[in-house]
Amino acid sequence: MSINKALLALAMGFALAACSNQNSAQDSAADAADAAAEAQAQADAAAAPFADAAQESADTAAVAADVAANAATDATAAATNDAADAAADVAETAADVAEDAADNAEQAADGQ
């Protein structure tokens, strides 16, 4: 393999990794947005004694969804693979937080 072909293969590998990180971050942001919407629906349906707790969880999910969306944007704009990978990790963590908050909103809505 010539040096040019090796460099081309390496560049293509980096490009594929960057696309993977961007897609992962965008998927996580979408998951976080879905969880935030679910949490808000649960908060809206919560009975009076539990509505405040459910709304707090929904608000947490909404903030986490915003963080995930910003991280997805950062992953797309990242100049290096390490930066894109870090942003994708932040988006995934934020999606997990949003999903946990949605679960908490559901528990509050159910009066648990």
Side-chain angles (χ1 to χ4, degrees), residues 20-82:
S20 176
N21 289 335
Q22 293 166 0
N23 290 339
S24 175
Q26 290 170 349
D27 290 347
S28 293
D31 290 346
D34 290 345
E38 178 185 335
Q40 188 59 56
Q42 292 294 334
D44 292 344
F50 306 104
D52 288 342
Q55 187 59 55
E56 286 177 17
S57 293
D59 292 345
T60 299
V63 169
D66 286 343
V67 169
N70 290 336
T73 300
D74 291 346
T76 301
T80 66
N81 273 348
D82 288 343

